[in-house]
Amino acid sequence: MTDASLVESFAAAASAAGFRVHRGPPPQIEGAAVSNASFGLADTGSVVLASAPDEPRSRHLLADVHVSILDEARILPGLPELFAVVGEDLPSALAIVTGPSRSADIEQRLVVGVHGPRQVHVVLVS
Amino acid sequence: MPSVQLFATCLGDLVVPEAVVDAARLLREAGFDVEFPQAQVCCGQPAFNAGHHAAARRVGRTFVRAFHRGSPVVCPSGSCATMVDRYLPDLVGADRYDIWELSAFLDHHNAALQPCNAGRKLAYHDSCHMLRELCIADAPRRLLERSGAELVALPRPDLCCGFGGTFSVRQPELSVAMADDKLGGARAADALVTADPGCLMHLAGRAERTGGHMPVLHLATALARGIEA
Amino acid sequence: MKPFLAQPPGRFRARARAALANSQMQAAMDAATSRLHQRRLDAWDALQDVETLSERAHAIRMETVDGLDAYVAQFAAAAEAGGANVHVAATAADACTYVADVCRRRGAKLVAKAKSMLSEEIRLNDALAAIGVDAVETDLGEYVAQLAGEHPAHILAPALEKTAADIAELFARDGDPVEPELDALAAVARRRLRGVFENADVGITGANFAVAETGSICLVTNEGNGGLVTAVPPVHIALVGMERVVPRLADLAVLLQLLARSATGQQLSSYTRLLTGPRREEERDGPEELHVVIIDNGRTNLRRGRYREMLACIRCGACLNVCPVYRKAGGGSYSPVYSGPMGAVLVPLLVGLDKAPSLPHASSLCGACTAACPVKIPLHELLLDLRRDLVGDGVASRKERIAFQLWSLAWSRPRLYRLSTTAARALQPLASLAGPGRRWAAGRAIPRLQRRYRDR
């Protein structure tokens, strides 16, 4: 897959997974938590967040709105490729996020944002 | 004239003999000489599925003593065909048989059928062995359509009817509830058809008890005589 | 002491009868299982080649099972090298003691729990309550089940049988009245449970997988509670069934490609987390202490022999969603923790056939479970083998064994078959009076024995 088509696949899959995908400047949303994503996964539209001193592992969960900034060059095809890249040097917490927080525990009806953010955004930068 | 050996099965012999008569007739009309080895009894499945191997083996041996390997064996039961094909050889230490479930056999030989179901809406219930072990789902449907029927799909055709051999009496309430779901799903049809005597006995028994007017019949009967039979 | 998971002989049927009489539950079970079943079918269809992926997954699981001791040791070493405290617990009691000791040492009063069936299996919450520790379930469905004082009803949907009104009533017991509306209920749960995450002294989770190569724990959730439980409290204890070990990250990738698709039809759950060691230097959150408790509780007994295939289970719930018996009988009929086809196989294997003799027969052997399993466990064949063992081990009643023996003698010769069935025909009017005949006749017309085909 060419890089351009990886980005397109990612954008489509992330959208389908429930992210709002931005190609321009990041949205200004009051109270939103912002993280720098380590990677993106094109097949599932997932954002990969690695814990680090400046990236606390709870950041993407505590606020109601979360924004991930993702460099297009860091989009990988899928999980096998991700694990091949990070396997030697895993962070203490690697979160592969595929959409907002969801629960279907009340009458099997979907409710969003029980524990994590209700709204999730990805901003693609190059 | 080519020949087949007919395996009536114990339920066929005892409980739905008219379906076996219909099966024999269909085979003859398809151009086969039908041999009925009188020494047959049962394939041993009821005991086998209940975990009673020694008992199953003793009864399963009657099959090997009764049937030869000079011609295909045909039986109007998906579960018995599965038993004989998949489990009987290891159970009794015999070679495999060329055994066919009835609809697969008739379909394979392009049997011509009377259009006795013209204008009828029929629901067909896949018995579990036929569906999952023998993977025969299209043949019975094709035959029913060839007999003139319009097929009405059951909701959740993958769901078991609830017979399951001894399950039907170990968990009678669940068994009956599963039958109700199956019968309820066939409401839009004029009749419910199945190719397995076990499923038939269970569904027809429940239909009769609930006073429903849904005829439940064996595939052989539906093809040979139609649903008014 | 009778094992917690044990099911005395009549209980499955009795619970199933109660479930059948509960029309709300029947409707909920039907809707939930049908939906999840269809979603799995759609997700499997969308995969290029689910068969091949499934076979790979099966091979990975069997490689693990066949090398279990070595992979567990490799995992433990890698986890310890990464800063985790690893404890291998032979029994449920041993595991509970270890966890209780950690809690006592930390002066813990409140524990935040993310979903763990294993913690139910070992009855951890009871052990914690006994030392005055309040363990609150943070998975919404588990929280609801906990408030109701019940066991979870389904691997994936613990509060399957509850309505919004039920849940509103449960929430109102501990606080202000709340509207039985989805958003209102979710807001209450969010607020209350956020407080639990923030104040918990210890966070306890299960583990979907444990990677031997890297010593990592993999947690899969949709709600995000797994992330908060492992980010905020200063201590994280992960309970890992020893069969959850996976050799390599590359193997984990295969299993993750099947897990969510088979469970809910999603490509991946909202949160797939890989945790490797406690918080690192200069990190602002994450646990200071990470404990990994690897639990045996009967699993090693299975690792050789026919039934070792059951250790391949990845707890996706696909077999529950397809089972025609589970959807009517409900989870509680099988055992407090494991239900459906996987429960019917696993529980007798963990507690002994004599402690759960009805479970292998809590099935019509339709085979749908085997077809649905993403790691190709031949579930219905294992049920058949368990039935055989019930007879072989002498657990099946003598009455039943004698009945089948007599039947087989009568039907071993055509002439005896004739005689016995003629007699049966004569006795037919009596059939509904006792035993199997009576149980059949309670709901169905007795089939009329007619002139045999062979006599026509």
Side-chain angles (χ1 to χ4, degrees):
Chain A
M1 229 191 252
T2 69
D3 288 345
S5 66
L6 267 184
V7 176
E8 288 319 308
S9 290
F10 173 83
S15 221
F19 287 99
R20 289 181 214 192
V21 182
H22 307 265
R23 313 289 278 263
Q28 296 302 318
I29 302 171
E30 198 177 311
V34 183
S35 302
N36 287 311
S38 296
F39 295 98
L41 301 183
D43 59 358
T44 51
S46 308
V47 166
V48 182
L49 303 170
S51 60
D54 58 344
E55 295 287 345
R57 53 170 90 180
S58 59
R59 179 184 281 153
H60 73 278
L61 289 167
L62 291 174
D64 209 29
V65 179
H66 180 255
V67 179
S68 297
I69 313 289
L70 173 62
D71 184 339
E72 287 180 3
R74 309 275 294 179
I75 295 174
L76 300 171
L79 275 178
E81 291 76 17
L82 173 69
F83 286 160
V85 169
V86 300
E88 293 297 314
D89 192 19
L90 286 168
S92 63
L94 188 74
I96 302 161
V97 183
T98 315
S101 156
R102 295 177 170 97
S103 176
D105 275 341
I106 301 176
E107 292 182 353
Q108 288 292 294
R109 284 147 62 203
L110 185 65
V111 63
V112 169
V114 175
H115 294 303
R118 257 181 284 246
Q119 250 188 58
V120 286
H121 301 254
V122 181
V123 179
L124 290 170
V125 300
S126 47
Chain B
M1 203 171 162
S3 176
V4 296
Q5 303 169 75
L6 178 63
F7 176 38
T9 82
C10 60
L11 288 182
D13 192 43
L14 297 168
V15 175
V16 289
E18 70 286 348
V20 187
V21 171
D22 293 324
R25 175 173 146 186
L26 289 166
L27 289 165
R28 267 181 232 112
E29 285 173 1
F32 291 86
D33 185 45
V34 179
E35 187 191 334
F36 181 79
Q38 276 283 340
Q40 63 181 272
V41 177
C42 165
C43 63
Q45 185 183 208
F48 186 79
N49 281 353
H52 293 267
H53 266 221
R57 188 175 299 121
R58 207 175 279 128
V59 173
R61 284 200 195 103
T62 61
F63 187 93
V64 179
R65 285 195 289 266
F67 291 89
H68 58 81
R69 289 194 176 73
S71 60
V73 181
V74 182
C75 85
S77 164
S79 55
C80 301
T82 303
M83 177 71 196
V84 172
D85 187 45
R86 302 284 158 85
Y87 300 104
L88 189 69
D90 283 339
L91 182 67
V92 302
D95 292 333
R96 289 182 76 182
Y97 278 89
D98 183 20
I99 180 142
W100 291 76
E101 179 276 332
L102 177 71
S103 70
F105 189 83
L106 292 172
D107 184 61
H108 180 78
H109 291 279
N110 270 308
L113 295 168
Q114 302 298 322
C116 48
N117 290 307
R120 290 294 180 213
K121 290 197 172 76
L122 298 183
Y124 172 75
H125 162 64
D126 297 279
S127 62
C128 298
H129 289 92
M130 241 170 104
L131 183 62
R132 296 195 177 90
E133 308 246 22
L134 300 177
C135 303
I136 301 168
D138 294 338
R141 288 174 167 87
R142 265 197 294 273
L143 293 170
L144 286 168
E145 282 177 332
R146 229 181 280 157
S147 76
E150 181 195 327
L151 289 178
V152 169
L154 289 167
R156 297 299 303 274
D158 60 299
L159 286 175
C160 173
C161 70
F163 175 61
T166 57
F167 176 82
S168 62
V169 292
R170 285 184 209 262
Q171 300 296 337
E173 297 82 14
L174 281 169
S175 178
V176 162
M178 290 158 76
D180 285 339
D181 283 353
K182 191 60 67 172
L183 291 166
R187 258 190 302 266
D190 298 321
L192 179 58
V193 177
T194 175
D196 194 278
C199 306
L200 177 60
M201 185 172 73
H202 167 69
L203 290 169
R206 181 61 179 165
E208 189 183 328
R209 175 58 59 82
T210 55
H213 303 292
M214 166 77 61
V216 184
L217 24 152
H218 194 280
L219 178 70
T221 304
L223 294 176
R225 292 183 281 146
I227 70 172
E228 267 89 34
Chain C
M1 193 185 80
K2 198 176 65 159
F4 173 53
L5 295 177
Q7 272 296 64
R11 189 181 294 170
F12 180 86
R13 186 176 165 198
R15 291 256 168 95
R17 280 170 103 156
L20 288 170
N22 182 339
S23 57
Q24 174 183 303
M25 182 178 142
Q26 291 295 308
M29 294 290 288
D30 179 29
T33 57
S34 298
R35 186 177 308 119
L36 290 169
H37 165 62
Q38 189 56 49
R39 292 219 182 117
R40 175 184 62 85
L41 290 178
D42 293 341
W44 279 23
D45 270 344
L47 276 171
Q48 206 170 36
D49 187 356
V50 67
E51 256 313 287
T52 304
L53 197 57
S54 230
E55 276 162 20
R56 278 180 70 197
H58 176 81
I60 289 166
R61 296 301 289 143
M62 293 316 296
E63 181 196 345
T64 308
V65 167
D66 289 338
L68 195 58
D69 294 342
Y71 285 121
V72 168
Q74 185 189 6
F75 170 80
E80 276 170 347
N85 303 282
V86 178
H87 177 78
V88 179
T91 63
D94 183 2
C96 288
T97 300
Y98 181 86
V99 175
D101 285 348
V102 172
C103 289
R104 235 188 257 114
R105 179 172 49 78
R106 297 287 308 199
K109 286 278 152 259
L110 178 64
V111 162
K113 281 192 68 205
K115 185 173 167 54
S116 164
M117 293 167 67
L118 183 53
S119 74
E120 301 268 337
E121 183 189 323
I122 65 172
R123 309 193 75 180
L124 181 63
N125 290 7
D126 290 347
L128 293 175
I131 59 165
V133 176
D134 186 18
V136 179
E137 299 290 343
T138 62
D139 176 282
L140 181 54
E142 298 270 350
Y143 178 62
V144 167
Q146 186 177 46
L147 288 177
E150 294 168 10
H151 294 291
H154 182 291
I155 293 178
L156 306 175
L160 184 45
E161 301 150 21
K162 296 261 174 290
T163 62
D166 294 334
I167 296 172
E169 199 248 327
L170 285 167
F171 283 5
R173 287 187 204 169
D174 279 343
D176 299 325
V178 56
E179 285 296 299
E181 294 301 326
L182 220 53
D183 289 334
L185 293 171
V188 168
R190 184 185 174 97
R191 204 179 54 242
R192 283 197 199 165
L193 295 172
R194 190 55 66 90
V196 171
F197 297 126
E198 284 165 3
N199 296 308
D201 304 298
V202 174
I204 298 181
T205 69
N208 292 80
F209 299 107
V211 184
E213 182 183 38
T214 59
S216 309
I217 299 284
C218 182
L219 284 184
V220 176
T221 73
N222 268 310
E223 291 185 9
N225 54 327
L228 287 171
V229 165
T230 58
V232 184
V235 178
H236 171 209
I237 303 176
L239 305 171
V240 183
M242 75 181 5
E243 84 287 3
R244 300 305 201 119
V245 169
V246 165
R248 303 153 211 98
L249 275 181
D251 301 325
L252 179 65
V254 173
L255 297 173
L256 286 175
Q257 283 173 78
L258 281 169
L259 177 60
R261 285 184 167 101
S262 305
T264 58
Q266 296 168 280
Q267 289 186 298
L268 283 176
S269 299
S270 292
Y271 302 102
T272 304
R273 245 170 255 288
L274 203 55
L275 303 172
T276 313
R279 85 157 66 165
R280 304 218 180 135
E281 210 176 302
E282 296 189 13
E283 282 184 352
R284 289 184 262 157
D285 62 5
E288 294 155 19
E289 271 181 51
L290 169 61
H291 299 261
V292 181
V293 186
I294 301 172
I295 299 174
D296 180 348
N297 206 29
R299 287 152 174 75
T300 41
N301 288 340
L302 303 178
R303 76 198 189 297
R304 309 205 197 293
R306 174 66 169 129
Y307 297 113
R308 74 193 201 289
E309 297 204 62
M310 195 56 217
L311 292 175
C313 178
I314 60 173
R315 307 289 194 267
C316 69
C319 59
L320 272 69
N321 295 329
V322 86
C323 179
V325 174
Y326 169 83
R327 64 193 290 277
K328 306 211 79 67
S333 297
Y334 295 77
S335 87
V337 185
Y338 304 112
S339 58
M342 61 78 60
V345 175
L346 186 62
V347 170
L349 291 174
L350 288 179
V351 305
L353 270 169
D354 58 326
K355 304 279 190 316
S358 304
L359 289 185
H361 285 283
S363 160
S364 62
L365 284 191
C366 77
C369 47
T370 299
C373 180
V375 291
K376 294 199 170 303
I377 300 170
L379 287 159
H380 76 295
E381 291 177 17
L382 295 180
L383 286 170
L384 197 49
D385 288 337
L386 285 169
R387 292 181 183 191
R388 194 176 169 179
D389 285 350
L390 279 168
V391 176
D393 294 351
V395 177
S397 76
R398 231 175 124 245
K399 207 163 74 165
E400 181 186 319
R401 276 180 285 138
I402 290 174
F404 272 100
Q405 269 165 13
L406 289 174
W407 169 82
S408 72
L409 286 167
W411 283 26
S412 59
R413 292 282 181 273
R415 193 134 43 97
L416 287 174
Y417 164 80
R418 263 219 162 76
L419 272 168
S420 62
T421 51
T422 304
R425 208 170 145 194
L427 293 170
Q428 180 150 16
L430 303 175
S432 60
L433 292 181
R438 185 161 84 182
R439 274 172 284 171
W440 179 279
R444 290 154 286 205
I446 295 242
R448 279 169 225 85
L449 294 181
Q450 314 179 37
R451 205 167 111 231
R452 289 175 285 253
Y453 173 77
R454 66 188 60 219
D455 297 330
R456 296 186 183 212

